[in-house]
Amino acid sequence: REIGLRIVRYMNASHVVGYVGLSDTYSAKNFFDEVNKSACLLTEPEYTRICAIDMDAGGSGCRELIAWCQIEVQEAFESDLIDARLACQYRDKLLAFQAAFSGLFNYADQPIPFFYLHFICFLSTLY
């Protein structure tokens, strides 16, 4: 039960942390801190560790929390709380979740393509 609750807390926290750093709108101070206070997602030592990563700088905090989930899944498997098939399914879902947030950060880091910028300028001129 404790491992399952930690996985849920870490997944919820990673979802919130995943949006921090994408823009100035969602910062650690005005978004994550408020959600963490109201939902009690992370304990004080966990919160200190995630803050040390600097959530505003990118997706490292989200990846760290997903790694914690992977560790919890492995501990549950080694303790015979879940079988190999369920552990594999959890790992697949965790990696898909990480890939989705990595895609958001990859997209946010890209400049506007040269062609589209000039095409929009051209259309604006014609209009």
Side-chain angles (χ1 to χ4, degrees):
R1 179 169 166 86
E2 290 178 22
I3 292 175
L5 291 175
R6 274 196 305 271
I7 290 173
V8 169
R9 280 191 312 107
Y10 293 160
M11 283 303 298
N12 288 335
S14 67
H15 196 219
V16 174
V17 170
Y19 291 110
V20 174
L22 282 175
S23 70
D24 294 335
T25 306
Y26 299 114
S27 69
K29 187 174 186 176
N30 71 9
F31 183 62
F32 181 76
D33 289 350
E34 298 301 320
V35 173
N36 191 43
K37 284 178 191 173
S38 65
C40 300
L41 297 175
L42 298 177
T43 63
E44 193 61 37
E46 294 166 350
Y47 177 76
T48 303
R49 170 65 184 134
I50 293 300
C51 286
I53 295 173
D54 189 15
M55 291 180 271
D56 291 322
S60 298
C62 181
R63 287 190 301 272
E64 176 81 9
L65 285 163
I66 292 170
W68 293 358
C69 290
Q70 294 276 17
I71 291 168
E72 294 296 330
V73 168
Q74 185 62 30
E75 286 180 11
F77 174 67
E78 289 173 356
S79 301
D80 289 329
L81 298 174
I82 59 175
D83 62 355
R85 184 179 210 155
L86 186 58
C88 184
Q89 288 176 346
Y90 277 131
R91 288 185 196 107
D92 288 344
K93 294 297 181 185
L94 287 168
L95 291 176
F97 180 76
Q98 181 177 353
F101 269 104
S102 294
L104 286 176
F105 279 98
N106 290 341
Y107 183 76
D109 289 340
Q110 296 296 318
I112 298 173
F114 180 78
F115 170 76
Y116 293 115
L117 179 66
H118 289 285
F119 186 64
I120 290 171
C121 290
F122 176 71
L123 289 178
S124 298
T125 305
L126 288 179
Y127 183 68

